[in-house]
Amino acid sequence: MNGEVVEELETLVSFQTISDPLDKRANLGCAQYIGNRLEEAGFISEMIEFEGYNTVYGRHGHGEFKILFLAHFDVVPVGEGW
């Protein structure tokens, strides 16, 4: 695997992204990082907050919407019996 890809994955998984109903902003750093990376690649990014949860939206170009890539970057905490 390309070294840059591995480095990028290492950076992404280093963020604390456990979904915590008491600290919904835990994933803010990861969302900001993704937004910055999108902007570096020529996208326009926008942070979106809904009920305390954060995500990032990016778009490139103008005109009619064509493609959507959707992913989430939060994880559920380990529970009893896992």
PDB file of all heavy atoms in Angstrom, residues 37-68:
ATOM      1  N   ARG A  37      -8.785  18.534   4.650  1.00  0.00           N
ATOM      2  CA  ARG A  37      -8.250  17.696   3.568  1.00  0.00           C
ATOM      3  C   ARG A  37      -9.073  17.880   2.289  1.00  0.00           C
ATOM      4  O   ARG A  37      -8.507  17.929   1.191  1.00  0.00           O
ATOM      5  CB  ARG A  37      -8.233  16.228   3.978  1.00  0.00           C
ATOM      6  CG  ARG A  37      -7.275  15.912   5.120  1.00  0.00           C
ATOM      7  CD  ARG A  37      -5.812  16.118   4.744  1.00  0.00           C
ATOM      8  NE  ARG A  37      -5.393  15.030   3.890  1.00  0.00           N
ATOM      9  CZ  ARG A  37      -4.538  15.128   2.878  1.00  0.00           C
ATOM     10  NH1 ARG A  37      -3.986  16.286   2.604  1.00  0.00           N
ATOM     11  NH2 ARG A  37      -4.221  14.081   2.145  1.00  0.00           N
ATOM     12  N   LEU A  38     -10.388  17.988   2.421  1.00  0.00           N
ATOM     13  CA  LEU A  38     -11.229  18.247   1.250  1.00  0.00           C
ATOM     14  C   LEU A  38     -10.860  19.576   0.611  1.00  0.00           C
ATOM     15  O   LEU A  38     -10.737  19.668  -0.613  1.00  0.00           O
ATOM     16  CB  LEU A  38     -12.710  18.244   1.645  1.00  0.00           C
ATOM     17  CG  LEU A  38     -13.338  16.891   1.929  1.00  0.00           C
ATOM     18  CD1 LEU A  38     -14.728  17.061   2.537  1.00  0.00           C
ATOM     19  CD2 LEU A  38     -13.416  16.055   0.660  1.00  0.00           C
ATOM     20  N   GLU A  39     -10.679  20.610   1.437  1.00  0.00           N
ATOM     21  CA  GLU A  39     -10.326  21.927   0.898  1.00  0.00           C
ATOM     22  C   GLU A  39      -8.965  21.904   0.215  1.00  0.00           C
ATOM     23  O   GLU A  39      -8.780  22.542  -0.825  1.00  0.00           O
ATOM     24  CB  GLU A  39     -10.395  22.977   1.999  1.00  0.00           C
ATOM     25  CG  GLU A  39     -11.828  23.245   2.420  1.00  0.00           C
ATOM     26  CD  GLU A  39     -11.963  24.260   3.529  1.00  0.00           C
ATOM     27  OE1 GLU A  39     -10.948  24.883   3.926  1.00  0.00           O
ATOM     28  OE2 GLU A  39     -13.099  24.435   4.000  1.00  0.00           O
ATOM     29  N   GLU A  40      -8.019  21.157   0.766  1.00  0.00           N
ATOM     30  CA  GLU A  40      -6.703  21.012   0.131  1.00  0.00           C
ATOM     31  C   GLU A  40      -6.821  20.361  -1.244  1.00  0.00           C
ATOM     32  O   GLU A  40      -5.997  20.609  -2.123  1.00  0.00           O
ATOM     33  CB  GLU A  40      -5.777  20.174   1.012  1.00  0.00           C
ATOM     34  CG  GLU A  40      -5.333  20.878   2.276  1.00  0.00           C
ATOM     35  CD  GLU A  40      -4.615  19.951   3.243  1.00  0.00           C
ATOM     36  OE1 GLU A  40      -4.318  18.793   2.878  1.00  0.00           O
ATOM     37  OE2 GLU A  40      -4.348  20.386   4.381  1.00  0.00           O
ATOM     38  N   ALA A  41      -7.860  19.544  -1.422  1.00  0.00           N
ATOM     39  CA  ALA A  41      -8.073  18.862  -2.703  1.00  0.00           C
ATOM     40  C   ALA A  41      -8.972  19.660  -3.641  1.00  0.00           C
ATOM     41  O   ALA A  41      -9.371  19.160  -4.693  1.00  0.00           O
ATOM     42  CB  ALA A  41      -8.685  17.479  -2.454  1.00  0.00           C
ATOM     43  N   GLY A  42      -9.306  20.899  -3.266  1.00  0.00           N
ATOM     44  CA  GLY A  42     -10.077  21.765  -4.152  1.00  0.00           C
ATOM     45  C   GLY A  42     -11.580  21.754  -3.915  1.00  0.00           C
ATOM     46  O   GLY A  42     -12.337  22.325  -4.704  1.00  0.00           O
ATOM     47  N   PHE A  43     -12.036  21.110  -2.846  1.00  0.00           N
ATOM     48  CA  PHE A  43     -13.452  21.093  -2.523  1.00  0.00           C
ATOM     49  C   PHE A  43     -13.805  22.292  -1.648  1.00  0.00           C
ATOM     50  O   PHE A  43     -12.946  22.873  -0.992  1.00  0.00           O
ATOM     51  CB  PHE A  43     -13.815  19.814  -1.741  1.00  0.00           C
ATOM     52  CG  PHE A  43     -13.836  18.574  -2.581  1.00  0.00           C
ATOM     53  CD1 PHE A  43     -12.663  17.993  -3.024  1.00  0.00           C
ATOM     54  CD2 PHE A  43     -15.040  17.978  -2.921  1.00  0.00           C
ATOM     55  CE1 PHE A  43     -12.669  16.846  -3.782  1.00  0.00           C
ATOM     56  CE2 PHE A  43     -15.065  16.825  -3.693  1.00  0.00           C
ATOM     57  CZ  PHE A  43     -13.880  16.257  -4.124  1.00  0.00           C
ATOM     58  N   ILE A  44     -15.071  22.633  -1.614  1.00  0.00           N
ATOM     59  CA  ILE A  44     -15.614  23.568  -0.647  1.00  0.00           C
ATOM     60  C   ILE A  44     -16.195  22.703   0.453  1.00  0.00           C
ATOM     61  O   ILE A  44     -16.974  21.787   0.177  1.00  0.00           O
ATOM     62  CB  ILE A  44     -16.700  24.460  -1.277  1.00  0.00           C
ATOM     63  CG1 ILE A  44     -16.096  25.318  -2.383  1.00  0.00           C
ATOM     64  CG2 ILE A  44     -17.381  25.318  -0.220  1.00  0.00           C
ATOM     65  CD1 ILE A  44     -17.108  26.039  -3.226  1.00  0.00           C
ATOM     66  N   SER A  45     -15.813  22.945   1.700  1.00  0.00           N
ATOM     67  CA  SER A  45     -16.337  22.113   2.784  1.00  0.00           C
ATOM     68  C   SER A  45     -17.136  22.955   3.757  1.00  0.00           C
ATOM     69  O   SER A  45     -16.918  24.164   3.891  1.00  0.00           O
ATOM     70  CB  SER A  45     -15.215  21.374   3.507  1.00  0.00           C
ATOM     71  OG  SER A  45     -14.471  22.242   4.307  1.00  0.00           O
ATOM     72  N   GLU A  46     -18.059  22.300   4.419  1.00  0.00           N
ATOM     73  CA  GLU A  46     -18.921  22.968   5.385  1.00  0.00           C
ATOM     74  C   GLU A  46     -19.139  22.033   6.573  1.00  0.00           C
ATOM     75  O   GLU A  46     -19.474  20.865   6.387  1.00  0.00           O
ATOM     76  CB  GLU A  46     -20.265  23.283   4.726  1.00  0.00           C
ATOM     77  CG  GLU A  46     -21.286  23.875   5.633  1.00  0.00           C
ATOM     78  CD  GLU A  46     -22.631  24.069   4.941  1.00  0.00           C
ATOM     79  OE1 GLU A  46     -22.724  23.933   3.708  1.00  0.00           O
ATOM     80  OE2 GLU A  46     -23.602  24.343   5.661  1.00  0.00           O
ATOM     81  N   MET A  47     -18.916  22.560   7.765  1.00  0.00           N
ATOM     82  CA  MET A  47     -19.201  21.795   8.975  1.00  0.00           C
ATOM     83  C   MET A  47     -20.701  21.861   9.223  1.00  0.00           C
ATOM     84  O   MET A  47     -21.298  22.931   9.136  1.00  0.00           O
ATOM     85  CB  MET A  47     -18.465  22.375  10.174  1.00  0.00           C
ATOM     86  CG  MET A  47     -16.967  22.221  10.124  1.00  0.00           C
ATOM     87  SD  MET A  47     -16.401  20.529  10.311  1.00  0.00           S
ATOM     88  CE  MET A  47     -16.953  20.180  11.960  1.00  0.00           C
ATOM     89  N   ILE A  48     -21.280  20.718   9.546  1.00  0.00           N
ATOM     90  CA  ILE A  48     -22.710  20.647   9.833  1.00  0.00           C
ATOM     91  C   ILE A  48     -22.878  20.057  11.224  1.00  0.00           C
ATOM     92  O   ILE A  48     -22.298  19.021  11.538  1.00  0.00           O
ATOM     93  CB  ILE A  48     -23.440  19.771   8.791  1.00  0.00           C
ATOM     94  CG1 ILE A  48     -23.255  20.364   7.393  1.00  0.00           C
ATOM     95  CG2 ILE A  48     -24.911  19.629   9.147  1.00  0.00           C
ATOM     96  CD1 ILE A  48     -23.760  19.466   6.282  1.00  0.00           C
ATOM     97  N   GLU A  49     -23.670  20.729  12.052  1.00  0.00           N
ATOM     98  CA  GLU A  49     -23.954  20.253  13.401  1.00  0.00           C
ATOM     99  C   GLU A  49     -25.455  19.987  13.491  1.00  0.00           C
ATOM    100  O   GLU A  49     -26.277  20.781  13.038  1.00  0.00           O
ATOM    101  CB  GLU A  49     -23.543  21.297  14.433  1.00  0.00           C
ATOM    102  CG  GLU A  49     -23.761  20.879  15.878  1.00  0.00           C
ATOM    103  CD  GLU A  49     -25.127  21.236  16.399  1.00  0.00           C
ATOM    104  OE1 GLU A  49     -25.719  22.216  15.911  1.00  0.00           O
ATOM    105  OE2 GLU A  49     -25.625  20.524  17.284  1.00  0.00           O
ATOM    106  N   PHE A  50     -25.818  18.832  14.045  1.00  0.00           N
ATOM    107  CA  PHE A  50     -27.218  18.490  14.259  1.00  0.00           C
ATOM    108  C   PHE A  50     -27.356  17.823  15.617  1.00  0.00           C
ATOM    109  O   PHE A  50     -26.746  16.779  15.853  1.00  0.00           O
ATOM    110  CB  PHE A  50     -27.732  17.558  13.152  1.00  0.00           C
ATOM    111  CG  PHE A  50     -29.170  17.165  13.322  1.00  0.00           C
ATOM    112  CD1 PHE A  50     -30.178  18.071  13.048  1.00  0.00           C
ATOM    113  CD2 PHE A  50     -29.500  15.901  13.768  1.00  0.00           C
ATOM    114  CE1 PHE A  50     -31.505  17.714  13.222  1.00  0.00           C
ATOM    115  CE2 PHE A  50     -30.821  15.529  13.932  1.00  0.00           C
ATOM    116  CZ  PHE A  50     -31.830  16.439  13.660  1.00  0.00           C
ATOM    117  N   GLU A  51     -28.090  18.460  16.493  1.00  0.00           N
ATOM    118  CA  GLU A  51     -28.328  17.938  17.840  1.00  0.00           C
ATOM    119  C   GLU A  51     -27.022  17.569  18.557  1.00  0.00           C
ATOM    120  O   GLU A  51     -26.921  16.560  19.237  1.00  0.00           O
ATOM    121  CB  GLU A  51     -29.289  16.759  17.807  1.00  0.00           C
ATOM    122  CG  GLU A  51     -30.679  17.140  17.332  1.00  0.00           C
ATOM    123  CD  GLU A  51     -31.663  15.992  17.369  1.00  0.00           C
ATOM    124  OE1 GLU A  51     -31.312  14.879  17.813  1.00  0.00           O
ATOM    125  OE2 GLU A  51     -32.815  16.210  16.954  1.00  0.00           O
ATOM    126  N   GLY A  52     -25.996  18.398  18.366  1.00  0.00           N
ATOM    127  CA  GLY A  52     -24.722  18.194  19.038  1.00  0.00           C
ATOM    128  C   GLY A  52     -23.748  17.303  18.301  1.00  0.00           C
ATOM    129  O   GLY A  52     -22.598  17.194  18.689  1.00  0.00           O
ATOM    130  N   TYR A  53     -24.187  16.647  17.241  1.00  0.00           N
ATOM    131  CA  TYR A  53     -23.298  15.784  16.456  1.00  0.00           C
ATOM    132  C   TYR A  53     -22.775  16.573  15.263  1.00  0.00           C
ATOM    133  O   TYR A  53     -23.492  17.368  14.667  1.00  0.00           O
ATOM    134  CB  TYR A  53     -24.029  14.529  15.979  1.00  0.00           C
ATOM    135  CG  TYR A  53     -24.402  13.613  17.112  1.00  0.00           C
ATOM    136  CD1 TYR A  53     -25.671  13.631  17.655  1.00  0.00           C
ATOM    137  CD2 TYR A  53     -23.462  12.745  17.646  1.00  0.00           C
ATOM    138  CE1 TYR A  53     -26.006  12.792  18.709  1.00  0.00           C
ATOM    139  CE2 TYR A  53     -23.787  11.900  18.695  1.00  0.00           C
ATOM    140  CZ  TYR A  53     -25.060  11.929  19.220  1.00  0.00           C
ATOM    141  OH  TYR A  53     -25.382  11.109  20.261  1.00  0.00           O
ATOM    142  N   ASN A  54     -21.519  16.348  14.917  1.00  0.00           N
ATOM    143  CA  ASN A  54     -20.867  17.102  13.843  1.00  0.00           C
ATOM    144  C   ASN A  54     -20.483  16.197  12.687  1.00  0.00           C
ATOM    145  O   ASN A  54     -20.118  15.043  12.870  1.00  0.00           O
ATOM    146  CB  ASN A  54     -19.597  17.772  14.380  1.00  0.00           C
ATOM    147  CG  ASN A  54     -19.917  18.778  15.440  1.00  0.00           C
ATOM    148  OD1 ASN A  54     -20.346  19.877  15.136  1.00  0.00           O
ATOM    149  ND2 ASN A  54     -19.752  18.394  16.688  1.00  0.00           N
ATOM    150  N   THR A  55     -20.564  16.770  11.500  1.00  0.00           N
ATOM    151  CA  THR A  55     -20.093  16.090  10.303  1.00  0.00           C
ATOM    152  C   THR A  55     -19.579  17.159   9.347  1.00  0.00           C
ATOM    153  O   THR A  55     -19.645  18.348   9.636  1.00  0.00           O
ATOM    154  CB  THR A  55     -21.194  15.226   9.663  1.00  0.00           C
ATOM    155  OG1 THR A  55     -20.612  14.372   8.673  1.00  0.00           O
ATOM    156  CG2 THR A  55     -22.278  16.065   9.019  1.00  0.00           C
ATOM    157  N   VAL A  56     -19.073  16.744   8.220  1.00  0.00           N
ATOM    158  CA  VAL A  56     -18.572  17.697   7.237  1.00  0.00           C
ATOM    159  C   VAL A  56     -19.149  17.338   5.871  1.00  0.00           C
ATOM    160  O   VAL A  56     -19.318  16.171   5.537  1.00  0.00           O
ATOM    161  CB  VAL A  56     -17.020  17.731   7.209  1.00  0.00           C
ATOM    162  CG1 VAL A  56     -16.443  16.409   6.774  1.00  0.00           C
ATOM    163  CG2 VAL A  56     -16.510  18.850   6.340  1.00  0.00           C
ATOM    164  N   TYR A  57     -19.485  18.369   5.127  1.00  0.00           N
ATOM    165  CA  TYR A  57     -20.033  18.226   3.784  1.00  0.00           C
ATOM    166  C   TYR A  57     -19.056  18.889   2.826  1.00  0.00           C
ATOM    167  O   TYR A  57     -18.575  19.987   3.088  1.00  0.00           O
ATOM    168  CB  TYR A  57     -21.408  18.916   3.725  1.00  0.00           C
ATOM    169  CG  TYR A  57     -21.968  19.097   2.349  1.00  0.00           C
ATOM    170  CD1 TYR A  57     -22.586  18.048   1.691  1.00  0.00           C
ATOM    171  CD2 TYR A  57     -21.872  20.319   1.699  1.00  0.00           C
ATOM    172  CE1 TYR A  57     -23.109  18.213   0.423  1.00  0.00           C
ATOM    173  CE2 TYR A  57     -22.395  20.503   0.432  1.00  0.00           C
ATOM    174  CZ  TYR A  57     -23.012  19.447  -0.199  1.00  0.00           C
ATOM    175  OH  TYR A  57     -23.518  19.610  -1.463  1.00  0.00           O
ATOM    176  N   GLY A  58     -18.741  18.231   1.726  1.00  0.00           N
ATOM    177  CA  GLY A  58     -17.844  18.813   0.737  1.00  0.00           C
ATOM    178  C   GLY A  58     -18.455  18.754  -0.649  1.00  0.00           C
ATOM    179  O   GLY A  58     -19.160  17.807  -0.980  1.00  0.00           O
ATOM    180  N   ARG A  59     -18.189  19.777  -1.438  1.00  0.00           N
ATOM    181  CA  ARG A  59     -18.657  19.775  -2.833  1.00  0.00           C
ATOM    182  C   ARG A  59     -17.561  20.334  -3.726  1.00  0.00           C
ATOM    183  O   ARG A  59     -16.701  21.097  -3.296  1.00  0.00           O
ATOM    184  CB  ARG A  59     -19.957  20.546  -2.990  1.00  0.00           C
ATOM    185  CG  ARG A  59     -19.864  22.017  -2.735  1.00  0.00           C
ATOM    186  CD  ARG A  59     -21.239  22.678  -2.887  1.00  0.00           C
ATOM    187  NE  ARG A  59     -21.189  24.046  -2.443  1.00  0.00           N
ATOM    188  CZ  ARG A  59     -20.859  25.078  -3.211  1.00  0.00           C
ATOM    189  NH1 ARG A  59     -20.557  24.885  -4.482  1.00  0.00           N
ATOM    190  NH2 ARG A  59     -20.824  26.298  -2.737  1.00  0.00           N
ATOM    191  N   HIS A  60     -17.641  19.935  -4.975  1.00  0.00           N
ATOM    192  CA  HIS A  60     -16.640  20.363  -5.948  1.00  0.00           C
ATOM    193  C   HIS A  60     -17.357  20.756  -7.222  1.00  0.00           C
ATOM    194  O   HIS A  60     -18.220  20.028  -7.703  1.00  0.00           O
ATOM    195  CB  HIS A  60     -15.667  19.215  -6.230  1.00  0.00           C
ATOM    196  CG  HIS A  60     -14.452  19.637  -6.980  1.00  0.00           C
ATOM    197  ND1 HIS A  60     -14.429  19.765  -8.338  1.00  0.00           N
ATOM    198  CD2 HIS A  60     -13.214  19.968  -6.541  1.00  0.00           C
ATOM    199  CE1 HIS A  60     -13.224  20.152  -8.718  1.00  0.00           C
ATOM    200  NE2 HIS A  60     -12.470  20.282  -7.640  1.00  0.00           N
ATOM    201  N   GLY A  61     -17.014  21.897  -7.756  1.00  0.00           N
ATOM    202  CA  GLY A  61     -17.614  22.347  -9.002  1.00  0.00           C
ATOM    203  C   GLY A  61     -18.976  22.991  -8.797  1.00  0.00           C
ATOM    204  O   GLY A  61     -19.391  23.265  -7.682  1.00  0.00           O
ATOM    205  N   HIS A  62     -19.679  23.186  -9.900  1.00  0.00           N
ATOM    206  CA  HIS A  62     -20.977  23.857  -9.892  1.00  0.00           C
ATOM    207  C   HIS A  62     -21.948  23.049 -10.726  1.00  0.00           C
ATOM    208  O   HIS A  62     -21.557  22.159 -11.482  1.00  0.00           O
ATOM    209  CB  HIS A  62     -20.853  25.273 -10.458  1.00  0.00           C
ATOM    210  CG  HIS A  62     -19.874  26.126  -9.710  1.00  0.00           C
ATOM    211  ND1 HIS A  62     -20.174  26.682  -8.492  1.00  0.00           N
ATOM    212  CD2 HIS A  62     -18.605  26.483  -9.993  1.00  0.00           C
ATOM    213  CE1 HIS A  62     -19.123  27.366  -8.065  1.00  0.00           C
ATOM    214  NE2 HIS A  62     -18.155  27.262  -8.965  1.00  0.00           N
ATOM    215  N   GLY A  63     -23.205  23.376 -10.595  1.00  0.00           N
ATOM    216  CA  GLY A  63     -24.215  22.733 -11.418  1.00  0.00           C
ATOM    217  C   GLY A  63     -24.950  21.635 -10.674  1.00  0.00           C
ATOM    218  O   GLY A  63     -24.905  21.526  -9.456  1.00  0.00           O
ATOM    219  N   GLU A  64     -25.607  20.819 -11.457  1.00  0.00           N
ATOM    220  CA  GLU A  64     -26.448  19.758 -10.912  1.00  0.00           C
ATOM    221  C   GLU A  64     -25.621  18.741 -10.128  1.00  0.00           C
ATOM    222  O   GLU A  64     -24.537  18.339 -10.548  1.00  0.00           O
ATOM    223  CB  GLU A  64     -27.173  19.055 -12.057  1.00  0.00           C
ATOM    224  CG  GLU A  64     -28.243  18.111 -11.604  1.00  0.00           C
ATOM    225  CD  GLU A  64     -29.016  17.555 -12.782  1.00  0.00           C
ATOM    226  OE1 GLU A  64     -29.256  18.306 -13.740  1.00  0.00           O
ATOM    227  OE2 GLU A  64     -29.374  16.373 -12.727  1.00  0.00           O
ATOM    228  N   PHE A  65     -26.156  18.323  -8.990  1.00  0.00           N
ATOM    229  CA  PHE A  65     -25.487  17.353  -8.136  1.00  0.00           C
ATOM    230  C   PHE A  65     -25.376  16.011  -8.856  1.00  0.00           C
ATOM    231  O   PHE A  65     -26.319  15.553  -9.482  1.00  0.00           O
ATOM    232  CB  PHE A  65     -26.298  17.197  -6.842  1.00  0.00           C
ATOM    233  CG  PHE A  65     -25.676  16.254  -5.870  1.00  0.00           C
ATOM    234  CD1 PHE A  65     -24.571  16.632  -5.134  1.00  0.00           C
ATOM    235  CD2 PHE A  65     -26.184  14.992  -5.702  1.00  0.00           C
ATOM    236  CE1 PHE A  65     -23.993  15.762  -4.238  1.00  0.00           C
ATOM    237  CE2 PHE A  65     -25.616  14.117  -4.809  1.00  0.00           C
ATOM    238  CZ  PHE A  65     -24.528  14.504  -4.074  1.00  0.00           C
ATOM    239  N   LYS A  66     -24.215  15.350  -8.779  1.00  0.00           N
ATOM    240  CA  LYS A  66     -23.986  14.110  -9.522  1.00  0.00           C
ATOM    241  C   LYS A  66     -23.672  12.908  -8.635  1.00  0.00           C
ATOM    242  O   LYS A  66     -24.239  11.861  -8.828  1.00  0.00           O
ATOM    243  CB  LYS A  66     -22.822  14.282 -10.503  1.00  0.00           C
ATOM    244  CG  LYS A  66     -23.006  15.383 -11.496  1.00  0.00           C
ATOM    245  CD  LYS A  66     -23.979  14.996 -12.552  1.00  0.00           C
ATOM    246  CE  LYS A  66     -24.014  16.092 -13.605  1.00  0.00           C
ATOM    247  NZ  LYS A  66     -25.152  16.069 -14.438  1.00  0.00           N
ATOM    248  N   ILE A  67     -22.743  13.052  -7.689  1.00  0.00           N
ATOM    249  CA  ILE A  67     -22.254  11.902  -6.928  1.00  0.00           C
ATOM    250  C   ILE A  67     -22.206  12.260  -5.444  1.00  0.00           C
ATOM    251  O   ILE A  67     -21.799  13.352  -5.075  1.00  0.00           O
ATOM    252  CB  ILE A  67     -20.843  11.478  -7.381  1.00  0.00           C
ATOM    253  CG1 ILE A  67     -20.858  11.073  -8.852  1.00  0.00           C
ATOM    254  CG2 ILE A  67     -20.314  10.336  -6.516  1.00  0.00           C
ATOM    255  CD1 ILE A  67     -19.487  10.816  -9.419  1.00  0.00           C
ATOM    256  N   LEU A  68     -22.587  11.289  -4.611  1.00  0.00           N
ATOM    257  CA  LEU A  68     -22.499  11.469  -3.171  1.00  0.00           C
ATOM    258  C   LEU A  68     -21.725  10.306  -2.574  1.00  0.00           C
ATOM    259  O   LEU A  68     -22.034   9.148  -2.854  1.00  0.00           O
ATOM    260  CB  LEU A  68     -23.901  11.518  -2.545  1.00  0.00           C
ATOM    261  CG  LEU A  68     -23.960  11.497  -1.017  1.00  0.00           C
ATOM    262  CD1 LEU A  68     -23.396  12.788  -0.441  1.00  0.00           C
ATOM    263  CD2 LEU A  68     -25.388  11.281  -0.558  1.00  0.00           C
TER     264      LEU A  68
END
